[in-house]
Amino acid sequence: MTSLDELAAGLRTALGADRVVSDRVELRTYECDGLAHYKVTPGLVVLPRDAAECARTVAGCVAAGVPFVARGSGTGLSGGALPHADGVLIVTAKMRDILEVAPADERAVVQPGVINLQVSRAAAAHGYYYAPDPSSQQICSIGGNVAENSGGAHCLKYGFTTNHVLGAEIVTPDGDLVELGGRAPDTPGYDLLGAFVGSEGTLGIATRVTVRLTRLPESVRTLLAAFATTDAAGAATSAIIAAGVVPAAVEMMDALAIEAAEAAVACGYPPGAGAVLIVELDGPAAEVAAQFAQVTALCEANGATELRIAADDAERALFWKGRKSAFAAVGRISPDYIVQDGVIPRTALPEVLHRIGEVASAHGVRVANVFHAGDGNLHPLVLFDAATDGEAERAEEVSGAIIDLCIEYGGSITGEHGVGTDKAKYMPRMFTDDDLVTMQLLRCAFDPAGLANPGKIFPTPRLCGEVPRRHSAADAPAAAEIF
Amino acid sequence: MRWQPAGTDDHVAGVPARFVAAPASTEEASEVLRAAAAEDLAVVVRGGGTKLGWGPPPRRLDLIVDTHRLTGVVEHAAGDLITVLRAGTRLSDLDFGSQQLALDSPLPGATVGGSVAVNVSGPRRMLYGTARDLLIGITVVRPGGTVAHSGGKVVKNVAGYDLGKLFTGSYGTLGLITECAFRLHPVPPARAVVTRTVPTAGVGALLAAVRDEQIVPSAVEVDRPPEGEVTVAVLVEGTAEGVRDRAARLEKVLGGQSGDLPSWWGAYPWQPGGTGLKLTAALSKVPDLVEAAGETGIRGSAGTGVLYAPVTGDVPRIVERLRAEAVRAGGHAVVLTAPAEVGQAVDMWGPVPGLDLMRRVKDQFDPGHHFAPGRFVGGI
Ligand SMILES: Cc1cc2nc3c(=O)[nH]c(=O)nc-3n(C[C@H](O)[C@H](O)[C@H](O)COP(=O)(O)OP(=O)(O)OC[C@H]3O[C@@H](n4cnc5c(N)ncnc54)[C@H](O)[C@@H]3O)c2cc1C
Ligand SMILES: Cc1cc2nc3c(=O)[nH]c(=O)nc-3n(C[C@H](O)[C@H](O)[C@H](O)COP(=O)(O)OP(=O)(O)OC[C@H]3O[C@@H](n4cnc5c(N)ncnc54)[C@H](O)[C@@H]3O)c2cc1C
């Protein structure tokens, strides 16, 4: 009997047989997350119902010395929830209770498997919502959001998950349950919660999360502006920011992305546009009215060829429909594509978009751009046809070159999808060895045995207490060889 | 770059230092800390020194690393709404024109590094968040001299661990902060403050009424002096038109008047050299804390649940009582500052969850416990 078999038997007794999956066929359903080109069948899947079961599972992994990986809804796009063949995948799908909605405290307490949008739905009756809104909000889990520090179209104004999480109960990689933060702000001591958010499941598993609820805005106004070029749309974005307006969202799509969206959902964007901007303002009615007039004038002054103002919620939804479906829509105009996620300083947008265009045409592939213009978070969609010889490789090169551009312009290799398995290799281009070793100190404090989601984020994990050294390719985690 | 012998003013919470060093760059700071480690020196970092007395005295002290030469704006990218600042830069010296670093103006002399190291906050944290929320990148020198960065210069960035959060509020116990990158905000063209003074029993209803409005205040402050009633003051900022409308609505909701910022705005309610307590609570329990403060007096951000109280008289007893109230309210009570004899008589930090993990973090970053030993929670 292997240690995994023993572990499975122990967990079946402790948690019940229905919590433990070891059937090969069933295990296959968990072999990847949203990034399907990395696949590993997990050794074992466990579906705990509560924190105690989760802690029991981790403790079992520690005793058996096997790695464990947390999985929420599996929508991650960087292979963060990629399992280990000889490890345990801990899935939070049965931890979906909203434990408390307390509008008077502007807080909600939820289990980690709760779907992002459900929190807003539960809060809406009280006049509140949960501000971080990743485009995947209908399916992604709060635990996954915490692990990825997810953001959405509205984080330009409202910030990311880290600005909206007040407390969490976690299972440490030792199997202990620990409270980080709380119901009130500024818990004394180190801000371990702040360090945990965005740690991609490498510092433990969140089993209960206290989130901040935000009062619903009194007024929301949305503008769709068409421009001849992405440069003009970029200039309008800069002008809005320079005027001291912080919109709730500024989203841009280029001609190719518009074409894809039209083909898929017929959103009726202005025909022939080289770029469109969606600008949304929200807040107190008089405030929004004043700023909306200003934003409209600025778009006009910067060469907008057409301006549409959403008259009602239905029209507003139509504006967003094109944007929100853009990722999937690209499937209509290309058999395959890579979704890249990188960040540049907003002011570098025009230059970087030109250079992306150059790289793409030099490699003979097309790139559709749809992104959060307000905060410089690019989501280039690199289109290719895997059936054409060499095209997948060329698309991969373009995708990598875009990340290099982000680094060159002082940006980041990821703005919201995380490092995961996919981008670990880029970390040394953005950070020095000393930076990475320093981050590992935190890892070693939480996870001395290195069992929590090993092989993610850091290209060359080291054993805690070991003198840092360069690892050879042979040491690379199994996942790195799959790709 | 080495150190000088210490002068008579070079002490921390009453503990004299032997040496002082004032590096002017991250590289110099790295050299100093490398040499300090080689000689097994215990180090405390000094910024403006405005609150060096916060926290218990260091268990041991050899070297003060002073940041007064480590100053200047490294970068202000107006179009990107970000800035990079050296840690010794005084907040009061910053001028970004039509933009602002939205940390409330603390005592004159407070530095960027010091403000991050103790995570101070003022009234407008309600809208803008605290240093932890505004900080997007950090450069630190670890005990031993290793230079490390985390985050960067773009607001949206999730590559690697967010060490900036870890260093924010760490009271100089994990290393020396040398540079900080922050997101900036536009300076709003207009603002208004609406105030209303009521008996303590009326505070809860007023705060709930403000919460119910959709006017997005920048701050909701309360002030209860030792004698008398409670004043609620609400700040709104924005366009001239928007602010006019929101202030009018607030006047109605509060039954109050628009006017200037009250004189107590953003100031701690204790006398210099006195004992000051920071109390936190879940929002709905803020009125309970205001009530419980009784003759002690209390002031602070009712909009976020972070309040400050001066403590005089039988300090240990009052701290214990207020701490129990704060815990009942879902929060904590920390003695921020106290005269030495009082500091010894009370538990300044109170109970801290997750202490074991915190000790492990300290052990990793500062294995020899050279940085501000004994100044932080649990004797860290
Ligand atoms: C169409 C689409 C659009 C998207 N848009 C956005 C967007 O706008 N913004 C954005 O930020 N992301 C976006 N994403 C990425 C993804 O949805 C987010 O990263 C999301 O937070 C992942 O949540 P999940 O529950 O699916 O996590 P999973 O994919 O299951 O896991 C993600 C990571 O979190 C860890 N994890 C999961 N649960 C826990 C837990 N309880 N404790 C500790 N670690 C845990 C996993 O180990 C893994 O490393 C998008 C994805 C898709 C497919
Ligand atoms: C609205 C508001 C009102 C305030 N009112 C008052 C008041 O009335 N009275 C009052 O006393 N204070 C007040 N403060 C707090 C005061 O401003 C802070 O204590 C100050 O910001 C600390 O900065 P400093 O440079 O003086 O730090 P110091 O006092 O020099 O140091 C503070 C701590 O930070 C550490 N430290 C300093 N620099 C670094 C660095 N570069 N790297 C690592 N660690 C470092 C030190 O070791 C020490 O533990 C107020 C703050 C705010 C926001």
Side-chain angles (χ1 to χ4, degrees), chain A residues 396-435:
Chain A
E396 186 58 33
E397 275 168 37
V398 169
S399 178
I402 291 172
I403 286 307
D404 286 335
L405 279 174
C406 292
I407 298 171
E408 182 186 330
Y409 281 83
S412 173
I413 61 173
T414 166
E416 53 183 26
H417 294 171
V419 176
T421 304
D422 194 41
K423 288 187 173 164
K425 60 180 180 288
Y426 294 122
M427 285 290 277
R429 300 199 204 165
M430 184 166 163
F431 295 108
T432 67
D433 277 3
D434 282 342
D435 299 344

Short mmCIF file of all heavy atoms in Angstrom, two decimals, chain A residues 396-435:
data_model
loop_
_atom_site.label_atom_id
_atom_site.label_comp_id
_atom_site.label_asym_id
_atom_site.label_seq_id
_atom_site.Cartn_x
_atom_site.Cartn_y
_atom_site.Cartn_z
N GLU A 396 3.25 31.06 -28.90
CA GLU A 396 3.88 31.00 -27.57
C GLU A 396 5.03 32.01 -27.48
O GLU A 396 5.20 32.68 -26.46
CB GLU A 396 4.37 29.57 -27.33
CG GLU A 396 4.93 29.30 -25.95
CD GLU A 396 3.94 29.60 -24.83
OE1 GLU A 396 2.72 29.41 -25.03
OE2 GLU A 396 4.40 30.05 -23.77
N GLU A 397 5.79 32.14 -28.56
CA GLU A 397 6.89 33.12 -28.57
C GLU A 397 6.35 34.54 -28.44
O GLU A 397 6.90 35.36 -27.69
CB GLU A 397 7.70 33.00 -29.87
CG GLU A 397 8.78 31.94 -29.80
CD GLU A 397 9.36 31.64 -31.18
OE1 GLU A 397 9.51 32.59 -31.99
OE2 GLU A 397 9.64 30.45 -31.45
N VAL A 398 5.28 34.83 -29.17
CA VAL A 398 4.70 36.17 -29.11
C VAL A 398 4.19 36.45 -27.70
O VAL A 398 4.42 37.51 -27.12
CB VAL A 398 3.55 36.32 -30.14
CG1 VAL A 398 2.77 37.61 -29.91
CG2 VAL A 398 4.11 36.29 -31.56
N SER A 399 3.54 35.46 -27.14
CA SER A 399 2.99 35.61 -25.80
C SER A 399 4.11 35.90 -24.79
O SER A 399 3.97 36.77 -23.92
CB SER A 399 2.26 34.31 -25.46
OG SER A 399 1.75 34.35 -24.18
N GLY A 400 5.22 35.21 -24.94
CA GLY A 400 6.37 35.44 -24.06
C GLY A 400 6.98 36.81 -24.30
O GLY A 400 7.38 37.51 -23.36
N ALA A 401 7.04 37.21 -25.59
CA ALA A 401 7.63 38.52 -25.91
C ALA A 401 6.80 39.65 -25.28
O ALA A 401 7.34 40.69 -24.87
CB ALA A 401 7.70 38.69 -27.44
N ILE A 402 5.50 39.44 -25.19
CA ILE A 402 4.63 40.46 -24.59
C ILE A 402 4.97 40.61 -23.11
O ILE A 402 5.03 41.73 -22.58
CB ILE A 402 3.14 40.08 -24.80
CG1 ILE A 402 2.79 40.21 -26.28
CG2 ILE A 402 2.24 40.97 -23.95
CD1 ILE A 402 1.41 39.68 -26.66
N ILE A 403 5.22 39.50 -22.45
CA ILE A 403 5.62 39.56 -21.04
C ILE A 403 6.95 40.29 -20.90
O ILE A 403 7.14 41.11 -20.00
CB ILE A 403 5.68 38.12 -20.45
CG1 ILE A 403 4.27 37.60 -20.25
CG2 ILE A 403 6.43 38.09 -19.13
CD1 ILE A 403 3.37 38.52 -19.43
N ASP A 404 7.87 40.02 -21.82
CA ASP A 404 9.14 40.74 -21.77
C ASP A 404 8.94 42.24 -21.93
O ASP A 404 9.61 43.04 -21.28
CB ASP A 404 10.09 40.21 -22.86
CG ASP A 404 10.66 38.84 -22.49
OD1 ASP A 404 10.71 38.55 -21.28
OD2 ASP A 404 11.02 38.08 -23.40
N LEU A 405 7.99 42.62 -22.81
CA LEU A 405 7.69 44.04 -22.98
C LEU A 405 7.18 44.64 -21.67
O LEU A 405 7.56 45.75 -21.30
CB LEU A 405 6.62 44.24 -24.07
CG LEU A 405 7.09 44.22 -25.52
CD1 LEU A 405 5.87 44.29 -26.45
CD2 LEU A 405 8.03 45.39 -25.79
N CYS A 406 6.32 43.91 -21.00
CA CYS A 406 5.78 44.40 -19.72
C CYS A 406 6.91 44.66 -18.73
O CYS A 406 6.93 45.68 -18.03
CB CYS A 406 4.77 43.41 -19.14
SG CYS A 406 3.26 43.28 -20.10
N ILE A 407 7.85 43.73 -18.67
CA ILE A 407 8.99 43.90 -17.75
C ILE A 407 9.83 45.10 -18.19
O ILE A 407 10.21 45.94 -17.37
CB ILE A 407 9.84 42.62 -17.69
CG1 ILE A 407 9.00 41.46 -17.15
CG2 ILE A 407 11.09 42.82 -16.84
CD1 ILE A 407 9.66 40.09 -17.25
N GLU A 408 10.09 45.20 -19.51
CA GLU A 408 10.92 46.29 -20.04
C GLU A 408 10.33 47.66 -19.68
O GLU A 408 11.07 48.59 -19.37
CB GLU A 408 11.04 46.13 -21.56
CG GLU A 408 11.92 47.18 -22.23
CD GLU A 408 11.86 47.05 -23.76
OE1 GLU A 408 11.66 45.93 -24.27
OE2 GLU A 408 11.99 48.09 -24.43
N TYR A 409 9.02 47.75 -19.68
CA TYR A 409 8.40 49.04 -19.41
C TYR A 409 8.09 49.24 -17.91
O TYR A 409 7.34 50.13 -17.54
CB TYR A 409 7.13 49.21 -20.24
CG TYR A 409 7.45 49.59 -21.67
CD1 TYR A 409 7.78 48.63 -22.61
CD2 TYR A 409 7.48 50.93 -22.07
CE1 TYR A 409 8.12 48.97 -23.92
CE2 TYR A 409 7.81 51.29 -23.37
CZ TYR A 409 8.14 50.30 -24.29
OH TYR A 409 8.46 50.66 -25.57
N GLY A 410 8.67 48.40 -17.08
CA GLY A 410 8.52 48.60 -15.64
C GLY A 410 7.20 48.09 -15.09
O GLY A 410 6.74 48.55 -14.05
N GLY A 411 6.59 47.15 -15.77
CA GLY A 411 5.30 46.63 -15.33
C GLY A 411 5.42 45.32 -14.61
O GLY A 411 6.39 45.07 -13.90
N SER A 412 4.42 44.47 -14.80
CA SER A 412 4.39 43.19 -14.09
C SER A 412 4.02 42.05 -15.03
O SER A 412 3.29 42.25 -16.00
CB SER A 412 3.37 43.25 -12.95
OG SER A 412 3.22 41.98 -12.36
N ILE A 413 4.48 40.86 -14.69
CA ILE A 413 4.19 39.67 -15.51
C ILE A 413 2.78 39.15 -15.27
O ILE A 413 2.32 38.29 -16.01
CB ILE A 413 5.21 38.55 -15.26
CG1 ILE A 413 5.18 38.09 -13.79
CG2 ILE A 413 6.62 39.01 -15.63
CD1 ILE A 413 6.04 36.87 -13.52
N THR A 414 2.10 39.66 -14.26
CA THR A 414 0.69 39.31 -14.09
C THR A 414 -0.05 40.36 -13.28
O THR A 414 0.47 40.85 -12.28
CB THR A 414 0.49 37.91 -13.45
OG1 THR A 414 -0.87 37.79 -13.02
CG2 THR A 414 1.40 37.68 -12.27
N GLY A 415 -1.23 40.72 -13.76
CA GLY A 415 -2.03 41.72 -13.08
C GLY A 415 -3.18 41.10 -12.32
O GLY A 415 -3.72 41.68 -11.40
N GLU A 416 -3.60 39.91 -12.76
CA GLU A 416 -4.71 39.30 -12.04
C GLU A 416 -4.79 37.78 -12.14
O GLU A 416 -5.46 37.18 -11.32
CB GLU A 416 -6.05 39.92 -12.46
CG GLU A 416 -6.30 39.93 -13.94
CD GLU A 416 -7.61 40.62 -14.32
OE1 GLU A 416 -8.10 41.49 -13.57
OE2 GLU A 416 -8.15 40.27 -15.36
N HIS A 417 -4.12 37.16 -13.08
CA HIS A 417 -4.30 35.71 -13.19
C HIS A 417 -3.32 34.91 -12.35
O HIS A 417 -3.46 33.71 -12.19
CB HIS A 417 -4.23 35.28 -14.65
CG HIS A 417 -5.36 35.82 -15.47
ND1 HIS A 417 -5.42 35.73 -16.83
CD2 HIS A 417 -6.48 36.50 -15.10
CE1 HIS A 417 -6.53 36.31 -17.28
NE2 HIS A 417 -7.18 36.79 -16.25
N GLY A 418 -2.30 35.58 -11.82
CA GLY A 418 -1.36 34.89 -10.96
C GLY A 418 -0.18 34.29 -11.72
O GLY A 418 -0.17 34.26 -12.95
N VAL A 419 0.80 33.83 -10.97
CA VAL A 419 2.01 33.26 -11.55
C VAL A 419 1.79 31.77 -11.82
O VAL A 419 2.05 31.28 -12.91
CB VAL A 419 3.22 33.46 -10.60
CG1 VAL A 419 4.46 32.78 -11.17
CG2 VAL A 419 3.46 34.93 -10.37
N GLY A 420 1.29 31.10 -10.80
CA GLY A 420 0.94 29.69 -10.95
C GLY A 420 2.07 28.84 -11.49
O GLY A 420 3.24 29.02 -11.16
N THR A 421 1.68 27.90 -12.36
CA THR A 421 2.65 27.03 -13.02
C THR A 421 3.21 27.73 -14.24
O THR A 421 4.38 27.60 -14.58
CB THR A 421 1.91 25.75 -13.50
OG1 THR A 421 1.27 25.15 -12.39
CG2 THR A 421 2.88 24.78 -14.13
N ASP A 422 2.33 28.51 -14.87
CA ASP A 422 2.60 29.03 -16.20
C ASP A 422 3.72 30.07 -16.22
O ASP A 422 4.51 30.12 -17.15
CB ASP A 422 1.30 29.65 -16.74
CG ASP A 422 1.38 29.92 -18.22
OD1 ASP A 422 1.93 29.07 -18.94
OD2 ASP A 422 0.88 30.98 -18.65
N LYS A 423 3.78 30.93 -15.21
CA LYS A 423 4.70 32.06 -15.28
C LYS A 423 5.86 31.97 -14.29
O LYS A 423 6.63 32.92 -14.17
CB LYS A 423 3.93 33.36 -15.06
CG LYS A 423 3.06 33.67 -16.26
CD LYS A 423 2.42 35.01 -16.17
CE LYS A 423 1.71 35.30 -17.48
NZ LYS A 423 0.76 36.40 -17.34
N ALA A 424 5.98 30.85 -13.61
CA ALA A 424 7.07 30.72 -12.65
C ALA A 424 8.41 31.00 -13.33
O ALA A 424 9.30 31.63 -12.75
CB ALA A 424 7.05 29.33 -12.02
N LYS A 425 8.51 30.59 -14.60
CA LYS A 425 9.78 30.77 -15.29
C LYS A 425 10.12 32.24 -15.54
O LYS A 425 11.27 32.59 -15.77
CB LYS A 425 9.79 29.99 -16.60
CG LYS A 425 8.71 30.39 -17.61
CD LYS A 425 8.81 29.55 -18.88
CE LYS A 425 7.75 29.92 -19.92
NZ LYS A 425 6.38 29.48 -19.54
N TYR A 426 9.09 33.10 -15.51
CA TYR A 426 9.35 34.53 -15.75
C TYR A 426 9.72 35.29 -14.47
O TYR A 426 10.18 36.42 -14.52
CB TYR A 426 8.11 35.22 -16.33
CG TYR A 426 7.74 34.75 -17.72
CD1 TYR A 426 6.48 34.22 -17.97
CD2 TYR A 426 8.64 34.86 -18.77
CE1 TYR A 426 6.12 33.79 -19.24
CE2 TYR A 426 8.29 34.43 -20.04
CZ TYR A 426 7.03 33.90 -20.27
OH TYR A 426 6.68 33.49 -21.52
N MET A 427 9.47 34.67 -13.33
CA MET A 427 9.72 35.39 -12.06
C MET A 427 11.16 35.93 -11.97
O MET A 427 11.37 37.06 -11.54
CB MET A 427 9.40 34.50 -10.86
CG MET A 427 7.90 34.34 -10.61
SD MET A 427 7.12 35.85 -10.02
CE MET A 427 7.50 35.75 -8.26
N PRO A 428 12.18 35.15 -12.38
CA PRO A 428 13.55 35.67 -12.28
C PRO A 428 13.82 36.84 -13.23
O PRO A 428 14.82 37.53 -13.08
CB PRO A 428 14.42 34.47 -12.67
CG PRO A 428 13.55 33.27 -12.49
CD PRO A 428 12.16 33.74 -12.80
N ARG A 429 12.94 37.06 -14.19
CA ARG A 429 13.15 38.23 -15.06
C ARG A 429 12.62 39.49 -14.39
O ARG A 429 13.02 40.60 -14.73
CB ARG A 429 12.43 38.04 -16.40
CG ARG A 429 12.92 36.82 -17.14
CD ARG A 429 12.54 36.92 -18.60
NE ARG A 429 12.49 35.56 -19.16
CZ ARG A 429 11.93 35.27 -20.32
NH1 ARG A 429 11.37 36.23 -21.05
NH2 ARG A 429 11.93 34.05 -20.77
N MET A 430 11.69 39.33 -13.50
CA MET A 430 11.10 40.49 -12.83
C MET A 430 11.77 40.74 -11.47
O MET A 430 11.84 41.87 -11.01
CB MET A 430 9.60 40.26 -12.65
CG MET A 430 8.87 41.44 -12.07
SD MET A 430 7.08 41.27 -12.27
CE MET A 430 6.54 42.48 -11.06
N PHE A 431 12.23 39.67 -10.85
CA PHE A 431 12.80 39.79 -9.51
C PHE A 431 14.22 39.22 -9.49
O PHE A 431 14.53 38.29 -10.22
CB PHE A 431 11.93 39.03 -8.50
CG PHE A 431 10.56 39.61 -8.32
CD1 PHE A 431 9.44 38.96 -8.82
CD2 PHE A 431 10.37 40.82 -7.65
CE1 PHE A 431 8.17 39.51 -8.66
CE2 PHE A 431 9.11 41.36 -7.48
CZ PHE A 431 8.00 40.71 -7.99
N THR A 432 15.05 39.79 -8.60
CA THR A 432 16.40 39.27 -8.43
C THR A 432 16.37 37.99 -7.59
O THR A 432 15.36 37.68 -6.96
CB THR A 432 17.30 40.28 -7.69
OG1 THR A 432 16.80 40.41 -6.34
CG2 THR A 432 17.27 41.65 -8.35
N ASP A 433 17.48 37.29 -7.57
CA ASP A 433 17.59 36.10 -6.70
C ASP A 433 17.31 36.47 -5.25
O ASP A 433 16.63 35.74 -4.53
CB ASP A 433 19.00 35.51 -6.79
CG ASP A 433 19.14 34.61 -8.01
OD1 ASP A 433 18.17 34.49 -8.78
OD2 ASP A 433 20.23 34.03 -8.18
N ASP A 434 17.84 37.64 -4.83
CA ASP A 434 17.64 38.05 -3.43
C ASP A 434 16.15 38.32 -3.15
O ASP A 434 15.66 38.00 -2.07
CB ASP A 434 18.45 39.31 -3.11
CG ASP A 434 19.92 38.98 -2.88
OD1 ASP A 434 20.23 37.80 -2.64
OD2 ASP A 434 20.75 39.91 -2.94
N ASP A 435 15.47 38.91 -4.13
CA ASP A 435 14.02 39.15 -3.95
C ASP A 435 13.30 37.82 -3.74
O ASP A 435 12.46 37.67 -2.85
CB ASP A 435 13.40 39.81 -5.19
CG ASP A 435 14.01 41.17 -5.51
OD1 ASP A 435 14.67 41.74 -4.63
OD2 ASP A 435 13.81 41.64 -6.65
#
